[in-house]
């Protein structure tokens, strides 16, 4: 039952980040023609890494670990001051979708296993 407390919490945080990342990408795409708009990104990898280290050391993940939205560094600046790159955003959209689907599949497998245990193996 330890999985319910630690792995579930990490999975929940990662799924929430993926949802936020989707919103940030959509926001960037909706502002692709807005002069002086600076693309944003949702940052969670460092937080997740810290949470995983905590878990491996025997601690419990923080329920307050969150993603941060920051200006994306780099990228080509267009003459109108906008740095949204359609190809980059679309590849991020596809990558994020694959990660989300993989996480949901893993979560469903884990919950299915718990369901089997609760039913007594049936």
């Amino acid at each position: 039952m330890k999985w319910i407390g630690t792995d579930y919490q990490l999975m929940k945080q990662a799924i929430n980040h993926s949802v936020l990342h989707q919103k940030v990408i959509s926001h960037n795409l909706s502002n692709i023609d807005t002069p002086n708009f600076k693309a944003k990104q949702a940052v969670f990898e460092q937080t997740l890494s810290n949470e995983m280290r905590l878990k491996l050391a025997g601690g419990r993940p923080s329920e307050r670990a969150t993603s941060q939205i920051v200006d994306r560094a780099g990228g080509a600046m267009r003459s109108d001051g906008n740095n949204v790159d359609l190809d980059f955003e679309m590849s991020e959209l596809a990558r994020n979708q694959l990660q989300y689907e993989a996480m949901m599949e893993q979560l469903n497998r884990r919950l299915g296993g718990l369901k089997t245990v609760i039913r007594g193996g049936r």
Side-chain angles (χ1 to χ4, degrees):
M1 293 307 256
K2 184 179 178 185
W3 176 82
I4 293 173
T6 56
D7 288 358
Y8 174 77
Q9 187 63 36
L10 289 172
M11 180 109 14
K12 179 180 160 187
Q13 291 170 351
I15 289 169
N16 287 341
H17 168 73
S18 184
V19 169
L20 176 64
H21 192 64
Q22 175 78 18
K23 290 176 182 178
V24 170
I25 294 168
S26 296
H27 182 70
N28 288 344
L29 287 170
S30 69
N31 284 285
I32 198 164
D33 292 323
T34 303
N36 299 312
F37 179 81
K38 305 299 182 253
K40 309 282 189 243
Q41 67 183 34
V43 180
F44 183 67
E45 286 74 17
Q46 187 61 46
T47 301
L48 182 59
S49 177
N50 292 341
E51 293 293 309
M52 291 296 290
R53 263 190 250 111
L54 179 65
K55 179 189 174 214
L56 291 173
R60 287 188 58 82
S62 168
E63 292 187 25
R64 294 175 298 201
T66 59
S67 303
Q68 296 178 348
I69 299 174
V70 298
D71 287 339
R72 185 171 44 240
M77 189 70 66
R78 299 188 324 229
S79 62
D80 66 356
N82 186 310
N83 70 342
V84 177
D85 178 337
L86 179 62
D87 292 334
F88 179 80
E89 299 298 335
M90 295 306 289
S91 67
E92 282 294 295
L93 193 64
R95 183 178 68 82
N96 188 60
Q97 181 65 34
L98 289 172
Q99 286 178 336
Y100 177 83
E101 288 173 5
M103 287 183 289
M104 291 303 293
E105 184 175 322
Q106 174 133 5
L107 180 60
N108 285 330
R109 275 195 209 138
R110 293 278 184 121
L111 293 176
L114 287 174
K115 190 175 177 182
T116 300
V117 168
I118 291 168
R119 286 191 204 153
R122 289 179 251 140

